[in-house]
Amino acid sequence: MTKQNISPDENEMEELLGKIQPVPSELFHQKMKQAVWRVDGVRASVKNLSLKFAFAVITILLLSALFVTPQGRAWAQEVARFFTGINSMRIELPVEQQKQLNNESLPSYDLPLVPVFIPTISGEMVTIPGCEIPQRSQSYRCQVALAESKLGFDLKELPEKPQEWEFQSLSFDLNSRYAVLTYKLNVMNGTSYSHFMLIQGAGNFSNFAWYRNNPWEAVPTDKVEQVSIGGHKGEYVKGSFSLKTGDIVLTWSEETGRQRLIWSEGEYWYLIDFRPNLNMTGTMGKDQLIHLAESLVISLSAPAESLDPTHLTSISDAEQISGLDLKAPALLPMNINFSYARSFPDGKQVHLIYGDNEELIIQEQEGKPIHYTFPVVKVNGEDAYFDTTEGSEAHLFLWWYKDGLNYKMDFNQSFGWHIDIKKMITMAESMQDIDDFRKKSGGYFEQVALYEEALGMNAKNFQQAPVGWVFANVWADSYTQCIDVIYTATVGQNTLFISQCKTDKRFDLSVFPAQSTEQVNLRNTKGQYTTGDFVMGTDGKETWDPTAPRKQLYWQEDGLWIQMGVYGESPVLQDKEDLIAYAESLR
Amino acid sequence: MTENSRLRSIKRRLWKENELTFPNADSFTRLYEQTYLRIFRYVYGLSGGPLQEAEDLTAETYERAWKTRQRFRGDEQAALSWLLRIARNLAIDLSRRRNVREVEDGFQIELLVDPNSLPEINLITREQIKILWPLLGTLPEDIREMIVLRYLLGWQIKQIAQYLQVSENKVSVTIRRALKRMQSDWPQSQEKDHD
């Protein structure tokens, strides 16, 4: 045993401090070699797009993919059975998409508050045992049961939920007869997750709308590998076309890590689309994906699901597991919706997590009131505290106490959309016994009125959905101040959409060739009618095809910029006059 | 054009010439290469480790910066300040989550000094650094930041004052007091087993 230590003097202390020069480990350098900005521009660029704006862009991409030209289909089938093969490592994006992407400059804007809409349960769901209440109806088991009953075939599923995987959503399309199961690998590394999609459909894969004339899903022919999945022929691809920051041409890159596997069995086709977080180690490769594909099963009876305290999909589940009487806001910033709740076993504490990027986190913890030294504000007439952090990592914090619970609300403003402290207090005061739960099946028609009120606009609607069309989805965006309503055809694979905006940020008609555009008269105003669309060729070039089945009408009325369009050959909406008649029937 | 407006115009032009932007991965990678060590040391000093956590915070700092790069305009020093502010917010956020600055148990001296200079550091100095590191963690956050900027990053008093927007005198006095405080908190004797 030795005695040591003589307190250093001031100079020695400075010298010692100067010697503290830590350096990061080799592992850090390895990890940073795959940092988000190095991997490729797309993931970064798509993430950097304002989500709302990106959503609009992606929507347009998907809508663009809803039709097919005979020429496109013919060459696609020659070079690959499933993937759309092209003979180029570069794809020129259509002018329309180039403009939309280049216009994107990380807008920063305020989010209005929108009342939370809790949908009622659908008639079909009520008939499925155990799915009678809305919260349960959102569970994996109920979603699969509903999709199977509507689509008329059994879905293949993972034999068991792998550890750390969270079921995100199940969507399906009755016309095209396909379903999309989405999982998130809940291992967050940095700020990204890995995503896994299992898509399956009946009939010909060429009917799958996402892959038709969609440059983002195309593959260079020589990158398609023929594989066998349990004796069935399939195709495997590693890599994807992506957009480097500031570029207007898609380039092929394997560094995106994206892997896709497509195969068919009898009259059904299957697609696995895996987008790993590149920071994650031990990710899956081709052999593992094939093994996974071969292990998929058709469940005869799904076992009852147990609650996962780290990923609870409704407030009532969080209450059940924590024993707390939780409150949730009845008003939320636009498009910041309930995502999941997390219950902590070591204390009576629950986090409610909202938003695709987890922008809003509300902590509720049992205990005595905690007093802070932060500035005081009033919530429900009682003292509360708020604090902010500024700069690129801007947050708003609000702490308050009510009925035995300490609340902390944390809103991350760094994504470019903001709320102010007044809105935060309004949200805090709206907290009540509301059973919010993750909504997996898109928007509801009732939300149109809520968005109108939040954006302060009087949108036009059909008195009732036109014959041959049924409401499909709605979303709103406070940056462009637009409300978009989508209808799908009851017969055929067509989409009708109406965008109504208080600003002209979405509208640039100069991208369409003049010879395909003409001025038309509407009820009280004039509009512009365009027919045709950009079509991708085997050489990766996009050319305008005036015969492509896309019709659009643009006009201004009552202070709104309005766009109405139809994709696909519709039996009920065949020509310009039909579209004008639809436009004039809006009230 | 008046003399004043002419000067303003020249200044604006000069400013633009020195202005950095990070429109693409290459320019951002250059920024990363030039700054990562300072950001890492800053985060490590502010948070107290463990190493893995400081590395994660550093990585996250650059991810956040990449996401919001289009909002940045400024020169080289402004870019460093911008990254430091992101790192600071992340470190604060972390400390708010865990409430106290936890110093890694049984941390190794090898993690605190540059491995290249390790052979030159004698045993007594090593022991002293092992005592000093937790003492640094007992300082309030704002004072610790000044110490980290001054010694771990090697900034001048003037630079710290400009960055923190306080007077040079305040920085100087605060650092002196902090050194004295750590001196007085220094354990007068420490017994160690050598089995």
Side-chain angles (χ1 to χ4, degrees), chain A residues 86-217:
Chain A
I86 64 160
N87 301 320
S88 172
M89 300 294 272
R90 289 158 59 87
I91 296 178
E92 276 178 22
L93 281 174
V95 187
E96 189 181 5
Q97 288 183 28
Q98 288 176 18
K99 289 223 174 187
Q100 282 153 357
L101 290 164
N102 285 341
N103 281 344
E104 177 49 44
S105 59
L106 266 185
S108 181
Y109 54 92
D110 288 325
L111 293 179
L113 296 184
V114 185
V116 170
F117 177 73
I118 305 292
T120 52
I121 192 164
S122 69
E124 294 96 336
M125 193 64 96
V126 173
T127 61
I128 301 170
C131 303
E132 300 85 353
I133 59 169
Q135 301 88 305
R136 290 279 80 78
S137 73
Q138 298 295 316
S139 70
Y140 171 73
R141 189 178 73 81
C142 294
Q143 292 285 310
V144 170
L146 179 69
E148 289 181 339
S149 73
K150 300 268 271 184
L151 289 167
F153 62 89
D154 289 327
L155 296 180
K156 278 201 177 194
E157 301 167 50
L158 295 168
E160 57 186 38
K161 192 189 90 170
Q163 207 179 4
E164 305 278 8
W165 286 33
E166 295 298 344
F167 168 64
Q168 289 294 295
S169 63
L170 192 160
S171 58
F172 53 88
D173 184 301
L174 288 179
N175 282 328
S176 304
R177 296 191 71 205
Y178 69 83
V180 183
L181 285 113
T182 309
Y183 294 84
K184 182 164 77 174
L185 275 69
N186 204 20
V187 184
M188 200 172 184
N189 203 328
T191 52
S192 307
Y193 292 99
S194 294
H195 293 271
F196 179 93
M197 280 198 284
L198 170 59
I199 308 171
Q200 47 198 305
N204 197 325
F205 181 75
S206 63
N207 287 335
F208 182 42
W210 286 13
Y211 274 60
R212 274 190 251 144
N213 191 39
N214 187 346
W216 300 78
E217 302 296 349

Side-chain angles (χ1 to χ4, degrees), chain A residues 64 67 69 96 213 512-513 515-517 529-535 543-552 554 566-567:
Chain A
S64 301
F67 79 97
T69 59
E96 189 181 5
N213 191 39
F512 303 115
Q515 65 272 23
S516 292
T517 303
Y529 173 78
T530 302
T531 180
D533 205 351
F534 295 96
V535 177
T543 50
W544 178 260
D545 178 357
T547 65
R550 176 185 176 189
K551 302 176 188 70
Q552 296 174 94
Y554 296 85
V566 64
Y567 290 86

Side-chain angles (χ1 to χ4, degrees), chain B residues 165-182:
Chain B
Q165 296 185 323
V166 294
S167 69
E168 288 179 39
N169 187 48
K170 182 177 167 66
V171 176
S172 188
V173 168
T174 307
I175 288 176
R176 291 275 156 256
R177 283 183 185 154
L179 294 176
K180 281 204 186 312
R181 176 174 159 177
M182 288 194 287

Side-chain angles (χ1 to χ4, degrees), chain A residues 1-10 12-29 31-32 36-38 40-41 43-45 47-48 104-106 108 189-192 245-246 279 357 363 374 387-395 397 399 408 410 412-416 418, chain B residues 23-25 28-29 32-33 36-37 40-41 44 51-52 55-56 58-60 62-64 66-71 82 85-86 89-90 92-93 96-97 111-115 117 121 125 127-129 131-133 136 147 150-153 175-176 179-180 182-184 186-194:
Chain A
M1 187 178 285
T2 60
K3 264 192 176 180
Q4 60 184 25
N5 268 341
I6 301 152
S7 168
D9 64 23
E10 206 174 295
E12 287 170 330
M13 191 81 84
E14 285 194 300
E15 205 177 315
L16 286 172
L17 282 165
K19 284 194 165 63
I20 300 179
Q21 297 288 295
V23 294
S25 65
E26 191 47 44
L27 197 66
F28 171 80
H29 292 294
K31 186 178 163 187
M32 294 310 281
V36 64
W37 71 87
R38 295 198 207 235
D40 80 17
R43 290 195 321 145
S45 121
K47 277 184 156 195
N48 281 328
E104 177 49 44
S105 59
L106 266 185
S108 181
N189 203 328
T191 52
S192 307
T245 310
N279 292 331
N357 302 297
Q363 299 179 18
F374 301 117
D387 190 24
T388 58
T389 53
E390 291 175 355
S392 308
E393 191 54 31
H395 282 250
F397 299 98
W399 293 265
K408 177 188 173 189
D410 171 356
N412 183 346
Q413 316 230 57
S414 66
F415 295 94
H418 306 140
Chain B
N24 54 37
F28 195 81
T29 300
Y32 166 77
E33 298 293 352
Y36 81 89
L37 195 55
F40 167 75
R41 285 177 178 165
Y44 202 177
L51 180 84
Q52 169 76 47
E55 289 179 346
D56 288 347
T58 307
E60 202 174 340
Y62 286 94
E63 270 193 38
R64 301 277 172 119
W66 170 250
K67 277 186 196 167
T68 54
R69 68 195 182 284
Q70 291 178 11
R71 277 187 255 160
W82 169 56
R85 276 194 295 274
I86 297 174
N89 286 332
L90 288 172
I92 289 174
D93 203 34
R96 276 183 178 150
R97 283 203 297 269
L111 301 179
L112 290 180
V113 298
D114 188 334
S117 59
I121 301 176
T125 307
E127 288 305 313
Q128 285 178 317
I129 290 175
I131 295 168
L132 182 61
W133 183 245
L136 182 62
I147 297 280
R150 178 76 185 92
Y151 299 106
L152 272 67
L153 270 64
I175 288 176
R176 291 275 156 256
L179 294 176
K180 281 204 186 312
M182 288 194 287
Q183 230 179 331
S184 66
W186 197 274
Q188 284 311 300
S189 70
Q190 185 186 354
E191 296 193 337
K192 214 171 178 188
D193 280 328
H194 292 273

Side-chain angles (χ1 to χ4, degrees), chain A residues 22 24 80 99 101 107 127 173 236 291 324 340 343 480 534 541:
Chain A
K99 289 223 174 187
L101 290 164
T127 61
D173 184 301
Y236 168 84
H291 181 71
L324 297 176
Y340 66 99
S343 176
T480 53
F534 295 96
K541 293 205 162 80

